[in-house]
Amino acid sequence: MSRFFTTGSDSESESSLSGEELDTKPFSGTHGKRPLLLSEDEEDTKRVVRSAKDKRFEELTNLIRTIRNAMKIRDVTKCLEEFELLGKAYGKAKSIVDKEGVPRFYIRILADLEDYLNELWEDKEGKKKMNKNNAKALSTLRQKIRKYNRDFESHITNYKQNPEQSADEDAEKNEEDSEGSSDEDEDDDGVSAAAFLKKKQESSGDSRKFLKKMEDDDEDSEDSEDDEEWDTSSTSSDSDSEEEEGKQTVLASKFLKKAPTTEEDKKAAEKKREDKAKKKHDRKTKRPDEEEEDNEGGEWERVRGGVPLVKEKPKMFAKGTEITHAVVIKKLNEILQARGKKGTDRATQIELLQLLVQIASENNLGEGVIVKIKFNIIASLYDYNPNLATYMKPEMWQMCLDCINELMDILVAHSNIFVGENILEESENLNNFDQPLRVRGCILTLVERMDEEFTKIMQNTDPHSQEYVEHLKDEAQVCAIIERVQRYLEEKGTTEEICQIYLRRILHTYYKFDYKAHQRQLTPPEGSSKSEQDQAENEGEDSAVLMERLCKYIYAKDRTDRIRTCAILCHIYHHALHSRWYQARDLMLMSHLQDNIQHADPPVQILYNRTMVQLGICAFRQGLTKDAHNALLDIQSSGRAKELLGQGLLLRSLQERNQEQEKVERRRQVPFHLHINLELLECVYLVSAMLLEIPYMAAHESDARRRMISKQFHHQLRVGERQPLLGPPESMREHVVAASKAMKMGDWKTCHSFIINEKMNGKVWDLFPEADKVRTMLVRKIQEESLRTYLFTYSSVYDSISMETLSDMFELDLPTVHSIISKMIINEELMASLDQPTQTVVMHRTEPTAQQNLALQLAEKLGSLVENNERVFDHKQGTYGGYFRDQKDGYRKNEGYMRRGGYRQQQSQTAY
């Protein structure tokens, strides 16, 4: 409230003189004194009127102070934010800067910030250690500051030549010093008036109690200041600030320390300093005595400056407590009750449980108690991250593996310990060693959760980093733990538990190529040439035998469809990976999984898609191009191979899904070391389609009703035809398109050079286990299909052609050429006959000529036009319909089915 609304200015001086009476009298005595005191407080806080220049420059100095603090802690993101605010504040102060000139402290921060950013940019090691946000902010701020400093280039150059501090920065430092410690202000002699005024305003209320002699002068000066505040409001802000500074300087001079003039003053000042030094020395000597007393008490500890405070571990039990089974179990339950509650420190909980294990082992409480606590430690490690998406930290993961190994050591060494979920806590036996020990807990659940955590770690690690390789080395430990649990459950577990642990073992085996077994197949064993170590390695169980044993047990014993389905798919995948095509195909056909796989959950569907892809690649390696094409058709024709195989997500723009759905789908992704090469997959599909489509196109070149075997292959052909400039092929698709054009002309050598070359070998063919065998098969297939294409294309040119000529042209042996031509004649693809004595192929010329083909196409189009006209006419007359319409529709449907769907139907019956 302003002083104009108060009454009784004389009472103000009386109340200020009698400070003790203000403390004792209640405020409710007089109504006029309450606003009087409030107005006095308001005058203390709002007494100073600042000019626009001071306000703007103070805003700039505050921002500069924040930037310098951020520079000290290397927080580049904060520097960027404050620099943008600094630029806006400078824009607001532009009118003042134009009058006064650019302040020197502003030039200094621009120069210092640019030098600081250049140092950070040149520090390569420091940049690597920066987090993502700081690194991004560094490049952004560096560009901005360089662009911004162009306007102040001359000022910055002058500043660097004469780097002196400005008066504003000195005042700013003095303000910081005065705010930092009031004790130091008493000792310092060189304090500026501006810094003192700020402090004096805060402590003006206290000064009135002790400085009674100067009270009248203070009040007169305050009244005169207030009068000048209101009287000069109509004048400019510059004149206000000058008058105010003059008054404040005069007022501050009363409180400033003055240099001693006489000898007595000098002696008094020196004596005062000696007394202060003596007191300081007494305080220092007193501290060790206090520390000794505190240490004797044992409750308090004085921490010296610079020494970090180490927390003492909490005591589990009171001193003198007898450690028994009941006490330990009670303490365990107390720790577990805090689990999941808000504010519970999970790391501390794990440390307490580990400490409890040590206490139990030191007091020989038996293995039953230790096993129970170990179960809870592993469960606490799994619950350390409450979010499903986050994965375990490396130290927690290693601790989890060690705990499971220690638990398995105890369970294997003590066969009298039984664990299981069906054991109730009331029926547990932890201390009666005469009977078998019974502990509630499921080792299988812990191992399954461990496997899921390993998958989560691999999903959230950059696959192209060394960190991924280090994490992948842990899979050996995971597989070893699963194998130990498998042996344990084979002795003491139920059938369902054995099936579940078998499936875990299968999931870590099915995708790995067994190079040792492959080498044994290629090179028969010779005992004399092998060392004992090689023999010991080769005596190990083959992955094929292991998969056969585990899967057959699941087929016979499992009662759930999901485990059996996963086992069948993994078994098929493993067969296909090792080129056992017929076993894999028969198992797929016998299982009938393709009939109801759409009802399975998404992870099983992903496994099915992976199995079908591996099956198609296996058929391609065997030279069965039709089977390979049929197996890969569904995956490749969808255009979503990456998503269907669980190897990535489509962009949000291509598929509608919210964030929750995206999180769920990311958790279903397959780790990188299980990925199938998508470029290899597409190449196998396109080459298979080329070997099927090009001869078919040549055979039905003039057929208007010709269907497409592969839409994707035709799309690639159209893309290649639309290119305005045809250069040498670069990508895998361009190589296949160029090879297709060469095969159309019957030029198998050019086709072979496009399919098999150094670039394609590096991208695709060298990735196969038996690359040379695949390349040999491909050359053979290209020769055979090029021969068929040549006969389809140029049969109308020849009356007869020698098979020896064809054999030399395509570098095939004569029986192979004879076999191919005989199949074409039997299937009525080629209208010709074989002359055995002369080994020639005689053409019958029953194929229509080009002119006849055009006439047939014209007749067919005219017939369809007449039919459409009749339909329109009958529709207008109202007589078209009923039996005639049904009959025509039925006829057209049957015709379309036989013409368009016959090939796929026939292929699906023969292949699957």
Side-chain angles (χ1 to χ4, degrees):
M1 183 181 291
S2 176
R3 63 193 178 90
F4 291 115
F5 298 100
T6 63
T7 58
S9 60
D10 295 332
S11 64
E12 180 182 354
S13 61
E14 292 175 4
S15 61
S16 62
L17 286 171
S18 57
E20 296 176 357
E21 292 179 7
L22 285 175
D23 296 335
T24 56
K25 289 182 180 180
F27 285 106
S28 59
T30 305
H31 182 69
K33 291 182 180 179
R34 187 178 185 90
L36 179 67
L37 292 174
L38 291 174
S39 66
E40 183 182 355
D41 294 338
E42 287 184 357
E43 286 171 9
D44 289 339
T45 57
K46 297 185 179 180
R47 184 169 25 179
V48 179
V49 175
R50 294 183 300 165
S51 63
K53 173 187 171 183
D54 295 338
K55 290 181 182 177
R56 296 301 181 194
F57 280 13
E58 184 181 358
E59 185 180 2
L60 292 175
T61 52
N62 289 336
L63 291 171
I64 288 170
R65 190 183 299 118
T66 309
I67 290 174
R68 291 197 182 278
N69 291 337
M71 289 165 63
K72 289 176 185 176
I73 61 174
R74 299 173 68 93
D75 190 356
V76 188
T77 308
K78 184 69 175 174
C79 287
L80 176 60
E81 294 174 1
E82 296 299 324
F83 177 73
E84 291 174 351
L85 296 176
L86 184 66
K88 293 178 182 178
Y90 182 79
K92 292 178 183 177
K94 194 74 171 65
S95 58
I96 298 172
V97 170
D98 293 340
K99 292 180 184 179
E100 304 289 336
V102 182
R104 192 168 179 79
F105 63 82
Y106 192 74
I107 298 299
R108 183 186 180 193
I109 188 62
L110 294 180
D112 291 351
L113 185 58
E114 186 175 10
D115 295 341
Y116 171 74
L117 293 174
N118 289 334
E119 288 177 8
L120 288 182
W121 188 263
E122 292 170 2
D123 186 10
K124 303 296 182 184
E125 296 297 327
K127 281 172 65 178
K128 289 180 182 177
K129 295 177 182 178
M130 276 187 181
N131 59 25
K132 188 177 180 182
N133 294 333
N134 270 350
K136 188 176 179 181
L138 176 61
S139 60
T140 307
L141 182 55
R142 185 168 173 266
Q143 292 175 358
K144 285 189 176 184
I145 194 72
R146 289 170 68 183
K147 185 177 179 182
Y148 190 78
N149 283 2
R150 289 173 192 166
D151 299 335
F152 304 95
E153 194 169 354
S154 59
H155 296 283
I156 293 173
T157 306
N158 294 334
Y159 166 75
K160 288 185 178 179
Q161 290 174 357
N162 185 19
E164 294 179 356
Q165 291 183 342
S166 63
D168 293 321
E169 287 182 327
D170 290 338
E172 176 189 337
K173 287 188 176 181
N174 290 330
E175 283 180 13
E176 291 177 2
D177 294 338
S178 64
E179 289 171 5
S181 62
S182 60
D183 294 336
E184 292 176 1
D185 289 342
E186 294 176 0
D187 298 335
D188 295 339
D189 294 334
V191 183
S192 65
F196 185 81
L197 279 174
K198 186 174 181 182
K199 191 70 184 176
K200 184 254 173 192
Q201 290 168 13
E202 295 174 358
S203 60
S204 60
D206 296 333
S207 66
R208 288 189 180 90
K209 292 182 181 179
F210 306 105
L211 303 176
K212 293 184 178 181
K213 292 181 181 180
M214 301 177 67
E215 197 64 27
D216 297 330
D217 296 334
D218 289 341
E219 289 176 3
D220 294 339
S221 64
E222 286 171 6
D223 293 337
S224 61
E225 279 180 11
D226 293 334
D227 293 337
E228 286 181 11
E229 279 180 29
W230 296 96
D231 292 339
T232 58
S233 60
S234 59
T235 60
S236 63
S237 60
D238 294 336
S239 62
D240 288 343
S241 61
E242 289 175 3
E243 292 174 2
E244 184 184 342
E245 286 176 3
K247 284 189 295 174
Q248 289 174 353
T249 308
V250 172
L251 181 62
S253 62
K254 296 180 182 180
F255 300 99
L256 285 175
K257 280 187 176 182
K258 296 178 181 177
T261 54
T262 63
E263 293 182 1
E264 295 178 357
D265 294 338
K266 289 181 180 178
K267 289 180 181 179
E270 188 176 352
K271 186 179 181 181
K272 189 177 181 181
R273 280 196 292 271
E274 288 177 359
D275 292 340
K276 281 189 177 182
K278 189 177 181 181
K279 288 180 182 178
K280 195 173 183 181
H281 180 70
D282 292 341
R283 284 199 299 268
K284 284 184 179 179
T285 54
K286 191 178 178 182
R287 281 177 186 171
D289 299 335
E290 291 178 356
E291 287 179 5
E292 291 177 3
E293 292 175 2
D294 292 337
N295 291 334
E296 288 175 5
E299 295 180 357
W300 299 92
E301 181 181 357
R302 182 174 292 278
V303 180
R304 295 181 179 177
V307 181
L309 181 63
V310 180
K311 288 185 179 180
E312 189 177 337
K313 289 186 178 180
K315 295 180 179 179
M316 296 293 292
F317 303 103
K319 193 173 182 181
T321 305
E322 184 181 358
I323 307 299
T324 61
H325 291 86
V327 173
V328 170
I329 295 300
K330 184 181 178 182
K331 192 67 179 178
L332 174 63
N333 291 330
E334 287 179 7
I335 297 171
L336 294 180
Q337 281 174 3
R339 182 175 163 191
K341 289 184 178 179
K342 189 175 181 181
T344 304
D345 188 1
R346 298 181 181 87
T348 307
Q349 204 174 27
I350 294 169
E351 292 177 4
L352 290 174
L353 290 172
Q354 289 176 338
L355 186 60
L356 199 61
V357 169
Q358 294 178 6
I359 293 172
S361 59
E362 288 171 2
N363 290 274
N364 298 323
L365 297 182
E367 305 299 334
V369 176
I370 296 175
V371 167
K372 184 174 179 62
I373 302 173
K374 288 277 185 187
F375 269 115
N376 288 291
I377 290 175
I378 299 169
S380 299
L381 287 170
Y382 290 146
D383 292 343
Y384 187 78
N385 293 322
N387 191 0
L388 283 175
T390 54
Y391 60 98
M392 270 188 171
K393 295 178 182 177
E395 57 272 13
M396 291 291 177
W397 168 248
Q398 195 59 46
M399 192 188 301
C400 178
L401 294 179
D402 295 340
C403 277
I404 294 177
N405 275 319
E406 291 170 5
L407 182 61
M408 287 306 302
D409 291 338
I410 296 172
L411 293 177
V412 171
H414 300 82
S415 58
N416 63 332
I417 301 177
F418 291 92
V419 296
E421 284 182 326
N422 54 352
I423 299 174
L424 301 176
E425 291 189 1
E426 294 81 8
S427 60
E428 283 183 332
N429 179 21
L430 303 176
N431 52 3
N432 188 1
F433 299 103
D434 297 334
Q435 297 178 356
L437 299 177
R438 295 163 59 83
V439 182
R440 178 177 173 80
C442 183
I443 189 66
L444 178 63
T445 305
L446 298 182
V447 171
E448 287 181 341
R449 184 72 188 274
M450 174 201 67
D451 196 18
E452 291 171 5
E453 288 293 336
F454 175 72
T455 304
K456 207 184 295 182
I457 289 172
M458 303 311 292
Q459 286 173 344
N460 289 277
T461 307
D462 181 14
H464 305 293
S465 64
Q466 186 63 28
E467 186 183 2
Y468 191 91
V469 179
E470 295 299 325
H471 286 319
L472 192 57
K473 291 178 182 178
D474 292 338
E475 194 190 11
Q477 297 184 44
V478 173
C479 293
I481 290 173
I482 291 174
E483 193 172 348
R484 292 186 69 183
V485 176
Q486 173 193 331
R487 290 196 297 268
Y488 177 77
L489 291 177
E490 284 175 351
E491 297 178 2
K492 297 186 177 182
T494 61
T495 306
E496 290 81 5
E497 291 177 338
I498 294 174
C499 289
Q500 289 177 9
I501 197 64
Y502 276 5
L503 180 62
R504 289 288 161 185
R505 184 85 186 276
I506 289 168
L507 289 173
H508 281 276
T509 308
Y510 80 98
Y511 63 90
K512 297 174 183 174
F513 188 82
D514 194 348
Y515 285 97
K516 293 179 182 177
H518 183 64
Q519 286 295 115
R520 284 198 291 272
Q521 288 179 358
L522 295 178
T523 56
E526 296 178 3
S528 58
S529 63
K530 290 188 176 181
S531 64
E532 295 180 359
Q533 184 179 1
D534 292 337
Q535 287 182 0
E537 288 181 357
N538 290 330
E539 285 174 1
E541 190 175 18
D542 285 350
S543 62
V545 178
L546 175 66
M547 290 289 292
E548 190 82 15
R549 178 171 63 84
L550 299 179
C551 291
K552 282 189 174 179
Y553 183 89
I554 292 176
Y555 300 156
K557 304 288 186 180
D558 181 58
R559 298 176 184 176
T560 61
D561 291 336
R562 190 183 186 281
I563 293 179
R564 186 165 57 250
T565 301
C566 291
I568 291 172
L569 291 173
C570 293
H571 203 182
I572 296 168
Y573 190 104
H574 193 263
H575 278 315
L577 187 64
H578 293 82
S579 300
R580 295 189 288 269
W581 156 251
Y582 293 103
Q583 292 95 316
R585 184 198 64 179
D586 294 344
L587 191 55
M588 176 63 81
L589 293 175
M590 286 189 296
S591 63
H592 296 285
L593 289 176
Q594 59 271 28
D595 297 336
N596 54 9
I597 194 64
Q598 65 272 14
H599 302 301
D601 53 344
V604 178
Q605 290 183 4
I606 290 172
L607 181 58
Y608 173 80
N609 293 335
R610 286 167 51 80
T611 303
M612 289 301 298
V613 164
Q614 198 61 246
L615 204 58
I617 295 173
C618 175
F620 180 81
R621 288 200 302 268
Q622 303 298 315
L624 305 170
T625 53
K626 287 184 180 179
D627 295 326
H629 180 269
N630 289 334
L632 301 176
L633 179 63
D634 290 335
I635 300 294
Q636 287 298 123
S637 61
S638 65
R640 299 185 300 130
K642 181 189 286 187
E643 186 181 12
L644 293 176
L645 296 175
Q647 297 181 190
L649 298 178
L650 293 178
L651 297 175
R652 280 192 180 180
S653 58
L654 302 178
Q655 190 177 14
E656 294 181 1
R657 61 171 180 268
N658 54 30
Q659 289 186 350
E660 290 300 323
Q661 290 174 340
E662 186 173 350
K663 287 180 182 177
V664 172
E665 289 181 11
R666 286 194 184 280
R667 287 200 290 271
R668 293 179 187 145
Q669 298 303 300
V670 177
F672 183 76
H673 62 281
L674 274 72
H675 281 196
I676 297 171
N677 193 320
L678 295 177
E679 190 173 16
L680 179 144
L681 174 62
E682 187 178 10
C683 181
V684 166
Y685 175 75
L686 290 177
V687 170
S688 301
M690 178 191 76
L691 295 175
L692 294 174
E693 192 77 64
I694 296 299
Y696 181 81
M697 290 170 63
H700 300 83
E701 187 175 4
S702 58
D703 189 359
R705 299 178 179 179
R706 181 180 69 198
R707 59 177 175 79
M708 289 187 293
I709 297 174
S710 172
K711 288 184 179 180
Q712 189 179 5
F713 177 73
H714 277 274
H715 173 69
Q716 296 300 330
L717 286 181
R718 286 194 294 272
V719 169
E721 290 172 358
R722 284 199 297 266
Q723 288 182 354
L725 181 64
L726 287 178
E730 293 291 335
S731 65
M732 176 271 301
R733 295 173 180 174
E734 292 176 356
H735 276 88
V736 175
V737 170
S740 303
K741 291 178 180 177
M743 184 182 279
K744 251 184 184 178
M745 308 302 294
D747 188 358
W748 76 271
K749 290 185 178 178
T750 307
C751 177
H752 167 240
S753 65
F754 281 129
I755 292 295
I756 298 174
N757 50 52
E758 290 184 3
K759 195 174 285 187
M760 290 291 285
N761 286 342
K763 284 184 177 181
V764 180
W765 309 124
D766 288 341
L767 302 178
F768 285 109
E770 298 176 345
D772 294 333
K773 191 185 267 189
V774 173
R775 281 191 280 264
T776 305
M777 178 274 300
L778 264 177
V779 173
R780 178 89 173 179
K781 279 288 179 184
I782 289 171
Q783 290 172 333
E784 293 176 358
E785 297 302 327
S786 298
L787 171 60
R788 295 184 63 212
T789 306
Y790 184 83
L791 289 175
F792 284 137
T793 306
Y794 301 107
S795 61
S796 58
V797 178
Y798 290 99
D799 286 330
S800 63
I801 185 170
S802 172
M803 284 192 286
E804 291 183 1
T805 305
L806 294 174
S807 176
D808 295 338
M809 187 183 299
F810 292 97
E811 296 184 9
L812 291 169
D813 52 347
L814 199 59
T816 305
V817 175
H818 187 277
S819 171
I820 292 170
I821 296 174
S822 300
K823 286 179 182 177
M824 293 173 68
I825 294 173
I826 291 170
N827 294 330
E828 297 181 357
E829 294 174 337
L830 183 66
M831 297 301 171
S833 58
L834 285 174
D835 189 8
Q836 292 292 343
T838 58
Q839 292 291 313
T840 57
V841 182
V842 181
M843 305 299 175
H844 290 172
R845 292 205 173 262
T846 57
E847 293 86 0
T849 61
Q851 187 177 4
Q852 290 172 341
N853 280 325
L854 290 174
L856 289 172
Q857 291 179 20
L858 179 61
E860 185 175 356
K861 289 181 179 179
L862 287 172
S864 62
L865 180 63
V866 169
E867 185 179 348
N868 289 334
N869 284 337
E870 287 178 354
R871 283 187 177 183
V872 172
F873 181 75
D874 292 341
H875 184 68
K876 286 182 178 180
Q877 298 295 324
T879 57
Y880 184 82
Y883 176 76
F884 181 67
R885 180 186 63 199
D886 293 340
Q887 195 160 348
K888 288 193 70 127
D889 282 349
Y891 169 74
R892 291 183 64 81
K893 186 188 292 185
N894 288 338
E895 181 186 1
Y897 171 77
M898 292 299 292
R899 186 176 74 249
R900 295 176 187 166
Y903 178 80
R904 284 191 188 173
Q905 186 72 15
Q906 183 181 359
Q907 290 301 112
S908 62
Q909 287 177 358
T910 56
Y912 301 106

